[in-house]
Amino acid sequence: QAQLVESGGGLVQPGGSLRLSCAASGSRFRFLAMAWYRQAPGKQRELVARINVSGSTNYADSVKGRFTISRDNAKSTVSLQMNSLKPEDTAVYYCNTYSQSLSWGQGTQVTVSS
């Protein structure tokens, strides 16, 4: 089964930016709708952004206009550009298929704080 490795998290001040990356192993990446999820302390994991095989995208209302999801099928990677970060964006961020069909990786911690 494909494995997922997230990277790019860190500590950033409110209003700052981060770019997350997710590397997926396996040959079926280009046929899969991919997504970024996040889980804040004490909360359930939630969908942040989705990118379909066609490249079309969807975003949670809370991040619309601030986050951009993209994919590189040649490298089997999916990225999340996060701008204008807010303290409420603090969470562990994970990637997976939109159907959550792969085993979850370790995620990458994003902390937005002054």
Side-chain angles (χ1 to χ4, degrees):
Q1 190 181 39
Q3 292 186 320
L4 301 165
V5 179
E6 301 93 347
S7 62
L11 172 64
V12 63
Q13 292 186 342
S17 298
L18 283 174
R19 184 175 181 85
L20 307 182
S21 294
C22 171
S25 63
S27 60
R28 297 192 66 250
F29 178 84
R30 68 182 63 194
F31 303 115
L32 301 171
M34 297 298 296
W36 280 95
Y37 301 82
R38 67 186 180 187
Q39 186 167 21
K43 295 187 177 181
Q44 290 190 332
R45 190 174 290 163
E46 63 174 353
L47 175 67
V48 175
R50 162 189 177 183
I51 184 164
N52 296 319
V53 172
S54 65
S56 62
T57 57
N58 298 91
Y59 298 91
D61 287 343
S62 59
V63 307
K64 203 170 293 184
R66 300 188 297 121
F67 291 10
T68 303
I69 188 172
S70 60
R71 66 188 297 159
D72 185 335
N73 289 335
K75 297 181 179 178
S76 296
T77 59
V78 58
S79 298
L80 186 68
Q81 177 67 41
M82 306 187 296
N83 298 328
S84 302
L85 282 161
K86 304 176 180 180
E88 52 263 44
D89 295 318
T90 295
V92 179
Y93 284 70
Y94 303 87
C95 69
N96 207 322
T97 65
Y98 179 62
S99 61
Q100 303 180 33
S101 61
L102 301 178
S103 297
W104 294 96
Q106 293 188 329
T108 186
Q109 175 70 48
V110 172
T111 302
V112 185
S113 175
S114 56

